Amino acid sequence: MNNIVAIVGRPNVGKSTFFNRLIQRREAIVDSVSGVTRDRNYGKSEWNGKEFSVIDTGGYIKGSDDVFEAEIRRQVELAIDEADAIIFVVDVEEGITPMDAEVAKLLRKVTKPILLAVNKVDNAMREKDAIEFYNLGLGEYFTIASISGSGTGDLLDKLVEVLPELPETTEEEVLPRFCVVGRPNAGKSSFINALIGEDRYIVTDIAGTTRDSIDTRYNRFGFEFNLVDTAGIRRKAKVKEDLEFYSVMRSVRAIEHSDVCILLIDATRGFEGQDQSIFWLAEKNRKGVIILVNKWDLVEKDTMSTRDYEAKIREELQPFTDVPIIFTSALTKQRLLKALEETVKVFENRKQRIATSKFNDFMLKLIEAYPPPALKGKYVKIKYCMQLPTPTPQFVFFANLPQYVKEPYKRFLENKIREHWDFSGVPIDIYIREK
């Protein structure tokens, strides 16, 4: 589980540039998720051996200046609630603006680590201009130029020094963790209450990592695991785009800290943009995913309903369509046990290990029959393959010319693996390396 670092500040101070620089710290980074702007707004970064999640609040704000102020205020307040540390970015060219002063006022009341980054300082003259930011009352500041990266090293040294230590994994956490995610009113709480039932076969209710995530130890019907309830992921009025600050902030921690995500969608509303965003956030973090279409009892049905509805969802999930979709009703308790069984199965699929000899026997015959297409007259030969010893399923194929193996062929390999072994609900990574 990682610390969460939020980057806040008014528009156009260079937050997104700084964010992009952070998440490109190293290659093994989980891709960021496209956000409300085309700027990416969620990613992972690492500095001095410490990994943390970064959330950029950039580009969420539309409308007039007074709307700006209200929105920035809401974002900063949410960042204060949810993040473990906050980087407040200001612009040396414009000096302290009323909006900066407003944000600083909110941040001064906070006990969490706040780092003030004065951006666009790319010469000695501007270094002197930065002194005025002492007036914000946030103590020392760091001068950076996020475009060139100068000064970011000192800032990150300080950041990893002030990030709080996360609790050690206890015995409690050895149990599988299933988190229930989804937009507000999709029926997450009803689903959990229906599962737990009045008898409440619960050993403990542990307050989760945030105020919104509650861990419930669940032990019924032969299943034992931690069920994590996340508060509804809110949608800001009139924002039609993908995944915004509110969703990311509320669900990142729960998703990162789980093995399988149970995504609840409201049958009466369909599989909307926000549901897709949460799905891709789980997929990018390589978590198991199962989709529950809740409130199915409220939908008018004909003989084709379930099939059509499912086909429509799978269309939106391309290319990762191998995901269990179950139609349930928390109210009538319809198929709840089936949903649990599938979730446990996805968890098992994610841990599955294939013996190298079996894997080679099957895949090499297949590759011989359907080799990668030749490129520029060069033929690709794959002679050996194996599953990597990683927490999530990753496979490596050793080839003489790995650069000539393109995405469509990797997808073909993935599909064949899925046809032969059950990896339903689990993202798979395929790597082609030089032998």
Side-chain angles (χ1 to χ4, degrees):
M1 182 185 164
N2 292 331
N3 286 115
I4 291 182
V5 176
I7 303 171
V8 302
R10 60 190 173 77
N12 307 324
V13 290
K15 294 192 298 295
S16 296
T17 316
F18 176 59
F19 169 79
N20 288 342
R21 179 158 288 285
L22 280 191
I23 63 161
Q24 286 156 8
R25 270 294 141 213
R26 53 176 197 148
E27 281 174 18
I29 284 162
V30 172
D31 290 341
S32 25
V33 181
S34 40
V36 169
T37 60
R38 271 160 290 166
D39 295 317
R40 301 167 303 169
N41 62 19
Y42 160 75
K44 291 188 177 175
S45 186
E46 180 226 41
W47 189 256
N48 291 349
K50 189 156 187 173
E51 196 181 68
F52 48 93
S53 299
V54 194
I55 289 169
D56 167 27
T57 66
Y60 294 91
I61 293 149
K62 311 244 187 308
S64 64
D65 285 351
D66 39 327
V67 174
F68 268 178
E69 288 191 30
E71 283 300 342
I72 288 177
R73 195 189 171 91
R74 277 168 67 189
Q75 284 185 16
V76 172
E77 282 169 351
L78 201 73
I80 288 169
D81 275 356
E82 303 288 330
D84 297 303
I86 296 166
I87 297 175
F88 174 26
V89 183
V90 290
D91 177 353
V92 74
E93 286 177 9
E94 295 191 36
I96 296 176
T97 67
M99 219 183 287
D100 291 331
E102 188 64 29
V103 173
K105 192 169 142 192
L106 285 175
L107 295 177
R108 281 199 299 272
K109 300 173 187 162
V110 180
T111 52
K112 293 182 179 181
I114 311 283
L115 302 181
L116 177 60
V118 183
N119 193 18
K120 307 184 188 175
V121 180
D122 46 17
N123 60 42
M125 195 61 220
R126 288 185 168 179
E127 196 75 53
K128 284 181 192 154
D129 294 343
I131 290 171
E132 79 158 300
F133 287 97
Y134 272 127
N135 294 331
L136 289 175
L138 292 169
E140 67 168 321
Y141 57 81
F142 295 84
T143 54
I144 63 168
S146 47
I147 284 187
S148 66
S150 88
T152 49
D154 294 342
L155 174 61
L156 289 175
D157 285 346
K158 184 68 178 172
L159 176 67
V160 295
E161 190 187 304
V162 299
L163 279 176
E165 281 303 310
L166 291 168
E168 288 296 303
T169 305
T170 59
E171 277 304 299
E172 196 68 44
E173 285 166 14
V174 175
L175 285 178
R177 288 174 64 91
F178 301 155
C179 83
V180 183
V181 290
R183 52 164 55 250
N185 308 327
K188 294 184 297 302
S189 299
S190 319
F191 169 72
I192 285 175
N193 290 342
L195 275 188
I196 291 166
E198 279 64 48
D199 308 325
R200 294 182 72 82
Y201 283 78
I202 296 161
V203 185
T204 47
D205 272 8
I206 310 151
T209 42
T210 65
R211 288 179 308 150
D212 301 294
S213 301
I214 305 293
D215 277 25
T216 301
R217 175 88 165 269
Y218 184 94
N219 187 347
R220 282 180 97 175
F221 313 115
F223 299 128
E224 185 167 16
F225 50 84
N226 276 328
L227 198 60
V228 186
D229 179 15
T230 56
I233 289 166
R234 294 179 192 156
R235 194 168 197 23
K236 219 165 45 179
K238 300 190 179 73
V239 173
K240 294 287 183 286
E241 290 87 352
D242 233 347
L243 184 61
E244 22 59 324
F245 188 57
Y246 302 93
S247 349
V248 184
M249 275 302 225
R250 298 275 181 201
S251 43
V252 160
R253 220 185 223 117
I255 287 174
E256 280 188 352
H257 199 30
S258 65
D259 297 304
V260 180
C261 299
I262 302 171
L263 171 56
L264 242 71
I265 67 172
D266 182 338
T268 59
R269 296 181 65 163
F271 192 56
E272 299 184 316
Q274 188 119 4
D275 301 312
Q276 292 170 39
S277 305
I278 300 166
F279 175 84
W280 290 115
L281 188 62
E283 190 270 346
K284 287 280 191 292
N285 272 289
R286 310 329 256 165
K287 302 299 180 185
V289 189
I290 168 168
I291 295 174
L292 300 190
V293 182
N294 191 25
K295 308 187 187 177
W296 191 237
D297 52 318
L298 303 179
V299 176
E300 298 269 320
K301 300 174 200 55
D302 56 42
T303 47
M304 285 292 283
S305 290
T306 320
R307 203 182 316 159
D308 290 350
Y309 205 102
E310 190 174 319
K312 215 178 276 180
I313 294 177
R314 292 201 190 280
E315 204 176 300
E316 299 289 354
L317 298 182
Q318 299 278 9
F320 178 33
T321 53
D322 187 10
V323 176
I325 298 173
I326 294 174
F327 294 82
T328 66
S329 163
L331 195 67
T332 63
K333 303 198 174 177
Q334 185 185 10
R335 295 196 198 88
L336 288 193
L337 197 56
K338 169 95 173 120
L340 264 195
E341 283 169 354
E342 279 298 325
T343 307
V344 172
K345 194 157 166 260
V346 168
F347 174 73
E348 297 299 339
N349 291 349
R350 190 166 175 257
K351 291 195 310 185
Q352 183 178 188
R353 295 284 169 268
I354 302 167
T356 303
S357 54
K358 279 187 184 166
F359 192 59
N360 275 279
D361 286 351
F362 176 75
M363 293 308 290
L364 293 182
K365 274 183 202 140
L366 184 87
I367 290 164
E368 209 173 307
Y370 303 98
L375 205 68
K376 301 177 185 167
K378 304 237 169 97
Y379 290 91
V380 181
K381 291 187 176 63
I382 295 174
K383 293 288 182 205
Y384 182 70
C385 51
M386 63 184 283
Q387 182 175 2
L388 295 169
T390 48
T392 60
Q394 298 187 332
F395 299 92
V396 62
F397 291 80
F398 293 96
N400 56 341
L401 299 163
Q403 66 276 27
Y404 289 147
V405 180
K406 301 298 179 207
E407 273 312 307
Y409 194 75
K410 284 188 193 174
R411 263 208 296 282
F412 163 75
L413 292 176
E414 181 183 330
N415 291 339
K416 291 299 170 193
I417 292 171
R418 287 184 185 281
E419 277 171 28
H420 198 70
W421 290 281
D422 187 358
F423 282 104
S424 174
V426 185
I428 288 179
D429 291 306
I430 303 278
Y431 300 104
I432 312 289
R433 295 279 181 264
E434 197 153 353
K435 62 182 182 195

